[in-house]
């Protein structure tokens, strides 16, 4: 009896350890829109149908963002969806298909005619969380959503091997630790598994406002640990292109 209890405890502990090591997957959906009417239609769909359906499907924290700088030629809405694992991602369409409330509340979007489309194109990026940041983190910000600045960064690498090296820089080199120590309020760090730009990694940091953002990056540039990490020859030339997008959460965003 004692042996059985011990064995059961060991098995449960092993399961918990595996769960603790499980890294989330992130989907970033980018709606590319031509008109403000399309923007309003997608907003309505996301707020009234899509996010509530994801909540019912067990995905409680979904981010919806728009660029701080408005581009009237390419209006964009970013949707960040976290998944526990690949199985949850693969089962989502099945759950949405069976969700009557989702179809009823999203009918204007879901049943749109070919000549009355709700968006121009829909882009999807799939990422896996970094080992040292395996799950999404909610930002601890005090400013209202209308003032917050969420910074989405994309780092492309010259080759797949350089990409692996840059990811190692964040994990083994503890670039993530520097961000944490300096209070960057990162939502996620992830390696792109599938997307239009590869090899690539992306991460999102958050700030109360633009001045707060600038102050944090100034402290990062001057940080001794970052200067030491940046100067290591083993991490040289691992980024060929970087892109920064400043975003603001919508009023219905969970993040």
């Amino acid at each position: 009896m004692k042996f059985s209890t011990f064995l059961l405890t060991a098995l449960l502990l092993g399961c918990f350890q595996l769960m603790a090591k499980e890294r989330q997957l992130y989907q970033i959906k980018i709606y590319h829109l031509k008109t403000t009417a399309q923007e309003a239609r997608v907003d309505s769909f996301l707020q009234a149908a899509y996010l509530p359906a994801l909540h019912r499907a067990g995905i409680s924290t979904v981010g919806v963002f728009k660029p701080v700088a408005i581009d009237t030629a390419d209006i964009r809405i970013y949707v960040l969806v976290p998944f526990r694992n690949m199985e949850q991602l693969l089962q989502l369409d099945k759950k949405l298909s069976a969700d009557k409330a989702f179809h009823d509340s999203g009918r204007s979007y879901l049943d749109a005619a070919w000549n009355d489309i709700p968006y121009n194109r829909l882009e999807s990026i799939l990422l896996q969380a970094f080992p040292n940041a395996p799950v999404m983190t909610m930002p601890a910000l005090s400013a209202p959503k209308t003032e917050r600045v969420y910074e989405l960064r994309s780092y492309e690498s010259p080759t797949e091997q350089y990409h692996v090296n840059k990811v190692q820089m964040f994990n083994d080199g503890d670039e993530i630790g520097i961000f944490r120590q300096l209070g960057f309020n990162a939502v996620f760090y992830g390696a792109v598994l599938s997307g239009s730009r590869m090899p690539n990694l992306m991460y999102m940091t958050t700030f109360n406002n633009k001045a707060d953002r600038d102050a944090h990056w100034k402290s990062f540039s001057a940080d001794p640990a970052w200067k030491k990490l940046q100067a290591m020859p083993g991490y040289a030339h691992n980024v060929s292109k970087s892109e920064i997008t400043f975003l603001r959460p919508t009023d219905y965003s969970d993040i």
Side-chain angles (χ1 to χ4, degrees):
M1 188 69 175
K2 288 183 179 180
F3 175 77
S4 298
T5 302
F6 173 81
L7 181 60
L8 178 60
T9 302
L11 288 171
L12 288 173
L13 180 59
C15 289
F16 287 137
Q17 288 174 338
L18 285 173
M19 289 171 63
K21 292 179 181 178
E22 193 169 45
R23 291 147 60 191
Q24 286 184 325
L25 296 174
Y26 307 121
Q27 182 186 39
I28 299 177
K29 299 172 73 171
I30 307 175
Y31 286 89
H32 295 270
L33 314 163
K34 285 185 176 180
T35 67
T36 54
Q38 285 184 327
E39 181 183 10
R41 195 170 177 184
V42 172
D43 267 325
S44 177
F45 166 72
L46 293 174
Q47 183 175 11
Y50 191 63
L51 264 66
L54 292 188
H55 296 165
R56 289 191 294 272
I59 303 170
S60 60
T61 309
V62 182
V64 183
F65 315 94
K66 295 182 181 182
V68 172
I70 299 173
D71 181 357
T72 55
D74 181 24
I75 303 169
R76 285 167 288 152
I77 300 176
Y78 291 72
V79 182
L80 173 62
V81 185
F83 296 92
R84 290 190 303 273
N85 48 43
M86 184 63 74
E87 181 64 20
Q88 187 183 35
L89 185 154
L90 294 175
Q91 289 296 318
L92 180 60
D93 283 348
K94 182 178 179 180
K95 288 187 176 182
L96 293 179
S97 179
D99 188 335
K100 185 177 184 302
F102 170 66
H103 286 274
D104 289 344
S105 55
R107 194 173 302 282
S108 173
Y109 172 101
L110 296 170
D111 295 341
W114 67 271
N115 57 351
D116 185 27
I117 55 176
Y119 54 81
N120 185 34
R121 282 291 86 185
L122 178 56
E123 181 181 352
S124 178
I125 304 168
L126 182 64
L127 308 95
Q128 184 177 31
F130 285 180
N132 285 12
V135 296
M136 180 184 289
T137 303
M138 287 291 288
L141 300 175
S142 57
K145 285 184 176 181
T146 54
E147 296 178 13
R148 296 179 189 178
V149 173
Y150 287 33
E151 185 168 352
L152 181 64
R153 288 200 168 212
S154 167
Y155 289 167
E156 298 175 46
S157 296
T159 67
E160 290 91 339
Q161 192 58 40
Y162 277 109
H163 166 71
V164 171
N165 180 264
K166 183 57 182 175
V167 174
Q168 288 175 340
M169 188 175 180
F170 272 90
N171 291 279
D172 300 340
D174 203 27
E175 189 171 345
I176 290 175
I178 299 173
F179 280 116
R180 284 176 177 156
Q181 183 180 355
L182 296 176
F184 269 69
N185 273 308
V187 175
F188 76 89
Y189 300 87
V192 175
L193 300 179
S194 179
S196 58
R197 298 180 180 182
M198 296 182 72
N200 190 19
L201 68 84
M202 302 175 76
Y203 67 95
M204 177 184 282
T205 52
T206 65
F207 312 92
N208 280 311
N209 48 51
K210 182 62 164 53
D212 184 35
R213 179 264 176 196
D214 292 345
H216 274 80
W217 278 107
K218 184 177 180 180
S219 66
F220 181 86
S221 298
D223 187 81
W226 166 243
K227 287 185 175 181
K228 180 180 178 181
L229 181 63
Q230 186 184 40
M232 291 182 178
Y235 293 128
H237 311 300
N238 56 16
V239 175
S240 56
K241 180 182 178 180
S242 62
E243 184 175 283
I244 300 172
T245 305
F246 294 114
L247 301 169
R248 191 152 285 145
T250 63
D251 57 0
Y252 59 88
S253 175
D254 296 325
I255 302 173

